[in-house]
Amino acid sequence: MNRREFLAAGSAVAAASAIPSFALADDKTIQVYSGSDNNIIDFWNNTIRPAFEKANPGLKLKLADAGDDNGLRAIADRALAALKSKADPQADMFENFDTRLPVGGVEAGLWVSFSADNVPSYAKINRAAIDMPQQLPYRGSQVLLAYDKTKLDPKDAPKTWEQLVAWVKKNPGQFIYNRPDKGGSGGNFVRRAIHEVNGRDPSKFTISNFSADYAEKSLTPAWAVLKDMAPFLYEKGAYTSGNTQSIQLLSQGVVTMVPVWSDQVLQAMTQGVLPETTGLVQLTDLALCGGFARLTVFANGANKDAALKLAEFLLTSEMQSAVITQIGGFPGVTWDNVAADLREKYKDVVPNSIPTFPGGDWNVAINDGWYRNVATGLARG
């Protein structure tokens, strides 16, 4: 689920402007395009680029902002056309893109398939983060539970869905989540309820198995669980308008616990928005949903080999630790491949699983169903 909101008008502009901005490829500069937010662009320019260029004399890294996914897709379409005509795609790597697009790209051989043969540290990657061989996960984020340790002893923090529901009911007014269509922390809390009533089996939900009848059957029990919980929430059934507002209510001491995105809450703690007395916990029976940003390398890129060196560099302990400390992300590698002090600091949030939930028609069904069946008195808007 996309937790950030983009302006639709800006998407069209970005897609149109991305294509003319191709740099001429040479044997020294790796051309990377990103559709991520400004904090990720800054991370690449201020941390990754200087470190990579220092470690690889003679190689340069140039990162361009493609605007968003539409911008990346426009570049990918052009690269696929270049592959068919054996021309230079004038791009080497994407940051955060799904190689299922453009349609036919994988079958045509547009993307490099990653393995230990071309990326020696491939074995370090968290197996749960691997989706398909044409994508290399290097950073992630996941929804956690953040709580006030001055009000809730860490040893009593709920570790399972059953314990969480029991805690919410025992502590009325001390828990809140945001509307599922206004941010992924609340949206994935709702999805955790859906997983719970469907045997804690995320594989039951895919893009291809959606139907109105199946959605009705699989989602309806979750609405009953969430509606039953509603009177015990903050103000007997209030919901925040987004991820940030949930963090604000926690920081102000208004509530004791909220679902949060891992990167947002870690940054909030680092920046002092949340106090050191903030605790983090992940459910151990089945974690809340998350996702990974994945690198893709063009098989026909002029600097393919250099781009693979960059992919390997991003899996080093130095860069993976920086993902945690600088942008509040989760590592793409297993946690035993990051600095020991960070493993100890965040041991309570290291996930045993990283469930995902498909988008598309499922998003519409979940959001509509939640408003109709759970927050029945809440005006949508």
Side-chain angles (χ1 to χ4, degrees):
M1 179 177 182
N2 190 338
R3 65 190 176 80
R4 297 179 174 90
E5 297 177 0
F6 295 101
L7 295 176
S11 298
V13 174
S17 62
I19 294 178
S21 67
F22 285 112
L24 292 177
D26 58 44
D27 60 355
K28 295 182 179 180
T29 302
I30 305 166
Q31 181 65 65
V32 181
Y33 286 90
S34 174
S36 295
D37 285 356
N38 288 336
N39 66 318
I40 303 301
I41 301 293
D42 290 343
F43 177 58
W44 274 74
N45 283 326
N46 299 332
T47 299
I48 295 173
R49 181 177 57 79
F52 174 75
E53 292 178 354
K54 181 179 179 180
N56 295 274
L59 292 180
K60 300 293 183 183
L61 192 166
K62 182 178 180 181
L63 182 75
D65 185 356
D68 64 3
D69 190 63
N70 286 337
L72 293 176
R73 288 182 65 176
I75 300 170
D77 287 340
R78 175 165 175 164
L80 181 58
L83 178 68
K84 294 175 180 177
S85 63
K86 298 183 180 180
D88 184 354
Q90 299 180 344
D92 300 302
M93 177 184 283
F94 276 169
E95 189 276 334
N96 199 15
F97 186 70
D98 188 342
T99 53
R100 292 175 180 84
L101 298 171
V103 174
V106 170
E107 293 76 9
L110 180 61
W111 311 106
V112 168
S113 289
F114 297 103
S115 70
D117 293 333
N118 53 25
V119 180
S121 295
Y122 189 80
K124 297 179 181 179
I125 296 173
N126 188 328
R127 297 294 98 181
I130 295 177
D131 179 24
M132 54 194 298
Q134 294 83 9
Q135 302 175 0
L136 187 85
Y138 83 101
R139 63 177 175 88
S141 58
Q142 189 168 17
V143 175
L144 312 168
L145 298 172
Y147 63 95
D148 184 344
K149 291 193 289 187
T150 66
K151 298 179 180 178
L152 174 61
D153 192 312
K155 68 180 176 60
D156 297 324
K159 299 290 199 305
T160 67
W161 178 262
E162 182 179 3
Q163 291 174 2
L164 174 59
V165 173
W167 183 90
V168 170
K169 291 184 175 181
K170 188 178 179 180
N171 298 272
Q174 293 303 301
F175 185 84
I176 194 169
Y177 64 94
N178 63 261
R179 305 181 189 190
D181 61 335
K182 299 298 184 181
S185 60
N188 282 333
F189 176 78
V190 169
R191 283 158 176 78
R192 180 59 184 82
I194 295 169
H195 280 155
E196 182 69 17
V197 299
N198 285 277
R200 300 185 200 130
D201 185 0
S203 69
K204 290 183 177 180
F205 301 92
T206 66
I207 286 286
S208 60
N209 76 357
F210 176 86
S211 71
D213 288 343
Y214 182 50
E216 181 72 17
K217 177 182 177 181
S218 58
L219 302 183
T220 297
W223 305 146
V225 170
L226 294 170
K227 190 173 182 63
D228 179 64
M229 185 187 296
F232 300 93
L233 301 180
Y234 177 65
E235 292 187 345
K236 298 182 179 180
Y239 305 92
T240 64
S241 60
N243 306 310
T244 300
Q245 190 183 20
S246 294
I247 290 177
Q248 289 173 340
L249 290 182
L250 180 65
S251 70
Q252 295 164 2
V254 176
V255 294
T256 299
M257 181 184 294
V258 294
V260 292
W261 276 106
S262 57
D263 55 352
Q264 286 187 321
V265 73
L266 292 177
Q267 282 192 316
M269 293 169 68
T270 299
Q271 296 168 358
V273 175
L274 285 171
E276 294 182 358
T277 52
T278 302
L280 301 174
V281 67
Q282 181 59 273
L283 300 184
T284 56
D285 51 352
L286 179 69
L288 285 88
C289 285
F292 282 83
R294 297 174 168 91
L295 304 172
T296 55
V297 171
F298 288 92
N300 57 336
N303 297 303
K304 178 182 69 175
D305 291 341
L308 287 169
K309 284 188 177 181
L310 174 57
E312 170 70 15
F313 181 76
L314 284 163
L315 297 181
T316 62
S317 177
E318 176 190 1
M319 289 297 99
Q320 290 294 292
S321 295
V323 164
I324 302 170
T325 59
Q326 296 194 29
I327 58 173
F330 275 6
V333 299
T334 55
W335 281 78
D336 57 336
N337 287 295
V338 300
D341 60 325
L342 293 176
R343 294 201 303 272
E344 175 62 25
K345 184 175 182 179
Y346 299 116
K347 62 183 180 181
D348 289 338
V349 298
V350 176
N352 294 321
S353 59
I354 309 174
T356 59
F357 207 103
D361 291 334
W362 282 111
N363 283 345
V364 177
I366 290 170
N367 293 337
D368 289 349
W370 184 83
Y371 276 99
R372 287 198 318 268
N373 298 284
V374 180
T376 54
L378 188 63
R380 190 170 184 177

